Amino acid sequence: MTPTELAALIRSCLLDAVADGTLSLPAEEIGAVKVERPRQREHGDWATNVAMQLAKKAGTAPRALAETLAERLGRAAGIAAAEVAGPGFLNIRLEAGAAGELARSIVEAGPAYGRSETRRGTRINLEFVSANPTGPIHIGGVRWAAVGDSLARVLQATGAEVAREYYFNDHGAQIDRFARSLLARARFQEAPEDGYGGQYISDIAAAVVADAEADGDPDPRTLPDAEAQEVFRARGVARMFAEIKAALHDFGVDFDVYFHEDSLHASGAVDRAVERLREAGHVYEDAGATWLRTTTFGDDKDRVVIKSDGEAAYIAGDIAYYLDKRERGFDEVIIMLGADHHGYVGRMMAVCAAFGDTPGVNLQILIGQLVNLLKNGEPLRMSKRAGTVLTIDDLVDAVGVDAARYALTRSSTDSMLDIDLDLLVQHSNDNPVYYVQYAHARTRNVMRNAAEHGVRREDGFAPELLDHPADGALLGVLAQLPETLEQAATLREPHRVARYLETVAATYHKWYDQCRVTPRGDQPVDDTHRTRLWLNDATTQVLATGLGLLGVSAPERM
């Protein structure tokens, strides 16, 4: 019996009590029932506080309602006991056979196990990374690459339609500084004081010259400054962005949409968005500038959208971009930003409200904290190619894609993250990604050994034989995957998947030490071996699913 099946059974008992008049409560008041694993295993397999939630509406005491429910559950097939605890908690023990059936359910469901359709029909635009195309992706952006892609996978696992979007900042002063830096380096001159440094500038400058030569164009270094700068702008940005996309692809991250900031201004989208807000009564003129009255919606001050010189302020592009996403049919717009963007949240939520949308629902902004790389216990500061900024290549070169993605995703983005590079290359239980991947590889080794000993799933399944405490513990953990994915999606916290996998791995390793799938010596193969192979293979599936949601491989051997 899965947690979902148990929850449905509890709800059915409640509806039956309403139907026969035992429970005085409108049936529509009984929503979805939630069951969870008790913190203390001796309290049972599952627990629910549904009686405490419904008692007031039913005009009865929580314990009285819990006792009514316990009596009805106790008569149901697969329930060994239902006991009332405390003010109205209900602790439930399953019969061994009912609990063990989960192993077969997981194996037969395959990759579908744990997934749901709770967000079917919801279209989500998820914008993350969006690094300026003026240099390699720095380590903070790499964190968003790992977390953002994993969040997209989790949301898709709960039925949502997700578009991964990269906002290409190709409009503004930073692109001018980038072009001037390339031109200066190509001419063997010092970079501008406000320009960009690092070996990558030399590499791209040389590539621009070589590309021009290959295309039969003049050497851009010999052109007048304005023309030369435009060549280095166009070719250099294209080169840099191609490198960014390639690095992300190698990191397992690909985007559905690459949106160009410049298109908002060129298409008139900025003017249209401002005019729409003006028609809604939220725009006014003052001191020659055009203002958005964001204080109406909780911002600390009104914002200039068109400056007195007629140029669009930075927020104007953000306003147009948000409206563009909504007009493309997205129900939810999620934007993932770095720690230096806290001040951005209030004004954009005000923009969301000004368009008549609901802040926190139609627009959600996630802020991630900084990342520090440690080597020999000391922070790393220098990148070989980018100068002072550590990049995606620095991290991947040090530990590989799997370890990098797992390390970046396993902690809440609310907290600053220290990544110990020495730990992530160790083949030890202290290395979390190794610990989880090794658990998966071990399940596959057990499967191969079982085949060699003639243990085959198809020859028998007796769930009541999964009666060892270690069997029950592993079944209980595997049962939590659907709830874990739902929580990770609801809270926008894919790190919950990583921490769950570590619990699965720890529980499996203990099970492996206590329960055998293959017979000892001349012992014949029996249904216990076969049934435990089902449980082993169910663990394989759960680990593979979880690792896949993090964009981490599930190795066959280690």
Side-chain angles (χ1 to χ4, degrees), residues 366-395:
L366 309 181
I367 300 292
Q369 297 303 313
L370 301 175
V371 179
N372 296 312
L373 300 185
L374 305 178
K375 180 74 174 174
N376 299 322
E378 297 293 328
L380 282 178
R381 300 296 183 197
M382 298 292 289
S383 170
K384 293 179 181 178
R385 186 162 183 259
T388 59
V389 179
L390 293 170
T391 71
I392 187 171
D393 293 331
D394 296 316
L395 179 57

Side-chain angles (χ1 to χ4, degrees), residues 178-472:
F178 179 62
R180 291 198 305 270
S181 301
L182 293 175
L183 177 57
R185 189 64 59 86
R187 289 175 171 173
F188 305 103
Q189 298 170 352
E190 289 294 322
E193 187 174 337
D194 62 349
Y196 296 91
Q199 180 60 39
Y200 79 95
I201 292 292
S202 296
D203 296 342
I204 292 177
V208 168
V209 173
D211 289 347
E213 180 182 357
D215 291 342
D217 294 337
D219 185 335
R221 295 171 294 186
T222 65
L223 298 174
D225 287 354
E227 292 182 42
Q229 184 173 321
E230 186 54 36
V231 172
F232 278 96
R233 172 202 292 271
R235 290 184 177 272
V237 168
R239 269 275 178 175
M240 188 71 257
F241 198 51
E243 285 194 16
I244 289 172
K245 288 199 281 189
L248 287 168
H249 175 76
D250 291 342
F251 198 59
V253 179
D254 292 293
F255 288 85
D256 303 296
V257 178
Y258 292 95
F259 192 97
H260 291 255
E261 179 186 7
D262 197 53
S263 69
L264 293 169
H265 299 269
S267 68
V270 170
D271 294 335
R272 290 195 300 274
V274 172
E275 187 58 32
R276 178 163 167 176
L277 292 172
R278 189 191 305 277
E279 292 171 356
H282 305 312
V283 168
Y284 64 95
E285 311 295 326
D286 186 51
T290 301
W291 297 71
L292 177 61
R293 193 176 286 106
T294 52
T295 52
T296 302
F297 305 102
D299 197 7
D300 58 346
K301 61 181 180 181
D302 291 344
R303 304 289 172 174
V304 173
V305 290
I306 305 296
K307 294 181 285 187
S308 57
D309 62 3
E311 290 294 316
Y314 188 81
I315 193 175
D318 293 332
I319 293 170
Y321 188 31
Y322 172 72
L323 180 60
D324 178 86
K325 289 179 178 181
R326 292 286 283 132
E327 289 181 338
R328 279 187 271 152
F330 292 106
D331 306 297
E332 299 176 13
V333 173
I334 304 175
I335 306 174
M336 309 176 82
L337 299 172
D340 56 342
H341 284 76
H342 275 287
Y344 181 86
V345 178
R347 72 191 69 168
M348 283 307 297
M349 290 303 174
V351 167
C352 170
F355 279 121
D357 287 344
T358 304
V361 177
N362 300 114
L363 175 62
Q364 303 162 43
I365 299 177
L366 309 181
I367 300 292
Q369 297 303 313
L370 301 175
V371 179
N372 296 312
L373 300 185
L374 305 178
K375 180 74 174 174
N376 299 322
E378 297 293 328
L380 282 178
R381 300 296 183 197
M382 298 292 289
S383 170
K384 293 179 181 178
R385 186 162 183 259
T388 59
V389 179
L390 293 170
T391 71
I392 187 171
D393 293 331
D394 296 316
L395 179 57
V396 172
D397 289 347
V399 301
V401 171
D402 279 351
R405 285 192 62 134
Y406 193 95
L408 288 165
T409 309
R410 75 182 292 264
S411 297
S412 170
T413 54
D414 290 339
S415 59
M416 187 175 291
L417 179 60
D418 291 331
I419 294 181
D420 187 338
L421 299 179
D422 298 313
L423 174 64
L424 290 180
V425 295
Q426 291 180 14
H427 289 183
S428 74
N429 291 343
D430 293 329
N431 178 357
V433 65
Y434 176 83
Y435 188 64
V436 173
Q437 287 184 312
Y438 179 67
H440 182 272
R442 176 174 262 186
T443 68
R444 301 303 286 162
N445 189 55
V446 167
M447 178 273 296
R448 289 188 291 270
N449 287 340
E452 291 175 4
H453 285 81
V455 181
R456 305 192 313 162
R457 287 201 318 256
E458 55 267 35
D459 289 341
F461 178 69
E464 68 277 5
L465 297 178
L466 295 176
D467 56 359
H468 191 283
D471 294 324

